[in-house]
Amino acid sequence: MQNFPRTQGATLIVSLLMVMLVLAMTMVLTAQVTVSARRSSVDQQTILQARYAAESGVSRVQSQLDLISRLLRVSALDTTVLNSSVESDMAALCGLSSLPLFSGKANLCTFPISQGLGRVASGVNARTQFLVRSMSEGAFGAEGIAEANSSVRSQFWSDLFSGQQGTQYAGGQDATYAARFGLQPLKVERIQESTYRFYFKVPDLRVKGQVGATSQNLLARAAQPEGFLLISRKPFSRYALLTNHHFSNSDDEAIGERVTFTDLTMFSGPVHTNQHFLFEGKLWFGGSVSSAGCPQLGIGLVANVAGCTQSLQPGGFFGDNALLTPQIEFAPINAPVVCGADTQCHAPQFGSSVTWDHEYVELPTTNQEQEGVAVQGGLALSGDVSELQLRQGQVLGQVRQLISYTQNGVTTRLAYGPDNKLLIQASDGTWQPTKRNALGVISANPGGVAAVFNGVLTVSGNVQNLNGGPAADATPSEPSIAAFAGLTLATTGNVAVTSSLTYASPPCTGGHVRNSNGTVTPATCGDLTARNMLGLYSSGGDIELVSPASCPNGFGTCASLPANARMHAVMMASQGAVRVRGHDEPVRTSSFELGNIELLGGVIENYYGAFGVTDGRGYGRNFVYDPRMNDGMAPPSFPTERRWTVGLRSEKMVNGVLVSEELTGLRLRGDVVSTGAP
């Protein structure tokens, strides 16, 4: 019993020592965890810094791609630049001394996968010449790139289109990034005489972000891996409707009698006027709508160039309201609803962009360009043509495009097939090869090689009767334009159309339908690969669609259109109008109604020609835009705008058909794919 206190003390000491040991171990473990946590935090911070550095590299390359888009939006070659200069630039892009004579769509060159546009030690890289011309020093200056002379701009484009070799992008101090990137040229195609496509690939971008020994690697892929630059003078055929003066004639403009778009108005393609539109009711526009805002009586010559002679007034008229500008530019979702003093509201339905301050679009005043092409490889006629007939038919056991014309009482009959070799019918009824003289006049070439026809027919004078073949009711049994044929008729005078003109393979069927709820069901356009097309162009007169009510000796007693006439064509009267002859003449019979002009194509005109009047005289309009024309296609040598432009586009499949669409930019998307060791 005497040892109990001593034992108890020893036990207490041992217990205290154990507690102290546990506390010490806890402190050690806590310290280790704290150090580990701090080390982990530092590692995470380093990885994050490396990730941010890699993202900076992606942003650096993306900024260059964004710059391309902005420069292209202001690209334009001087209007004095000739086709031959652009041809030289396209040849240089391909590394060729010259381009072959244009005879149809062709692949000009294909680039090896590893090849970019190359670089030069100084001066301008010839392969970049067309880009250097298109984007000016001023355009680069507006983007903060000062003193961007032609050499600097050439280096910029050489770096961007550097192919697999790429251009080095690097930056940063403590946290750095490194990447090598270049767009890969693929090929150059010539689609039309004034239309080229420069295809390229947007490759994957690999960027390494580095902080000390820690790295992060990003892989960025293009949202659109391939695209192309469209180098072109835009053909006027791309418009569903374009008017210079938005009045029916000069007399109406003088008194302010405006053309009114009403509930019956339905356009599915781009619509533009250099003046103002007047909207009433619930109209429907499936494509873009734009106007330049030239005032009434405000179009003329400015420094010998057509344009607005008065201050621009952006906006549009809605019913009986004064000129309104809801917004300079707006998306369809923000389309205005404007109500007048009579409480009637006007609510145009817009399916695409609307712009009230679009640049003035100048119309050509001659057909010299078309005549030059006709002399070279088409058919050039001097003097009035009393009758011109276009139709599909059989010649020598093959479906061919037939062309017959009458001048001074003499009729000449021509035919060509998919090979474009032109035949002529001799006086004995046989078909012979043709030859063409230096003036573009065609004659027989018995036993020789047939001349090739490029589809362009010019007339220095009037065409008094254009039709699709003989028929009592002006509705030819055969199509006017064979499935393989593309034709452009360009005249200096008037063209009188006296029958329906139709395609063997129309790209669209039916018309637009206004539903009971006010919506519109567009026409079906399911054959965008169709090749046949027709362009009618008068540089100095009108294109007149001849109504049977206009016949001087009684209704329907002259060559004239049927009821519900069909017109498959793009029609352009650059100093006149596309109009119905006799649009305001009474039908003079209660059992006959003219119905609509069913147009598949587009109308481009100086004045908005009248088709009928609101009391039922004349024809109505049922216009369906040919969507092929929005994809860079056009009748052969159809008139183009003066400026050359460079646009960014891509291709995609729509209902099994490859079509192109405008690209707003080239976008990269990236994710972390690997992490370096700390």
Side-chain angles (χ1 to χ4, degrees), residues 345-527:
C345 294
H346 313 286
Q349 298 173 281
F350 298 111
S352 187
S353 62
V354 180
T355 307
W356 301 123
D357 62 344
H358 194 280
E359 64 182 5
Y360 180 91
V361 179
E362 182 184 357
L363 297 179
T365 56
T366 73
N367 71 344
Q368 291 179 354
E369 189 169 317
Q370 290 72 34
E371 188 167 0
V373 175
V375 168
Q376 185 180 63
L379 176 62
L381 303 178
S382 179
D384 290 348
V385 173
S386 57
E387 182 177 8
L388 174 62
Q389 188 178 107
L390 306 174
R391 66 184 179 91
Q392 176 182 282
Q394 289 274 344
V395 171
L396 301 180
Q398 183 182 24
V399 174
R400 299 178 191 265
Q401 177 65 48
L402 307 184
I403 303 172
S404 69
Y405 62 91
T406 302
Q407 284 186 299
N408 303 317
V410 178
T411 298
T412 302
R413 295 180 175 85
L414 305 170
Y416 69 95
D419 61 0
N420 294 324
K421 292 182 178 179
L422 194 62
L423 306 178
I424 189 170
Q425 190 174 40
S427 57
D428 62 2
T430 61
W431 289 90
Q432 303 289 337
T434 58
K435 60 182 177 182
R436 180 184 293 107
N437 68 15
L439 299 177
V441 177
I442 296 295
S443 60
N445 185 25
V449 177
V452 173
F453 183 60
N454 61 18
V456 181
L457 166 61
T458 59
V459 175
S460 298
N462 303 306
V463 176
Q464 297 162 352
N465 178 357
L466 170 62
N467 62 73
D473 61 356
T475 306
S477 57
E478 290 282 354
S480 310
I481 307 299
F484 59 83
L487 282 168
T488 293
L489 167 65
T491 74
T492 59
N494 297 324
V495 179
V497 183
T498 62
S499 81
S500 291
L501 299 173
T502 60
Y503 295 147
S505 299
C508 304
T509 57
H512 308 313
V513 177
R514 175 78 71 174
N515 302 314
S516 58
N517 62 358
T519 61
V520 172
T521 300
T524 301
C525 296
D527 188 8

Side-chain angles (χ1 to χ4, degrees), residues 22-78:
V22 169
L23 289 174
M25 292 178 65
T26 301
M27 292 175 65
V28 170
L29 289 173
T30 301
Q32 288 179 341
V33 169
T34 301
V35 171
S36 177
R38 288 178 179 174
R39 183 181 300 165
S40 177
S41 177
V42 170
D43 290 345
Q44 289 295 328
Q45 186 176 3
T46 303
I47 290 172
L48 209 56
Q49 289 175 334
R51 166 68 182 263
Y52 291 155
E55 289 178 350
S56 297
V58 174
S59 297
R60 169 82 181 279
V61 174
Q62 182 64 65
S63 68
Q64 293 295 91
L65 297 179
D66 292 342
L67 178 56
I68 293 178
S69 303
R70 294 196 300 273
L71 289 171
L72 289 175
R73 280 197 285 272
V74 296
S75 66
L77 287 170
D78 189 278

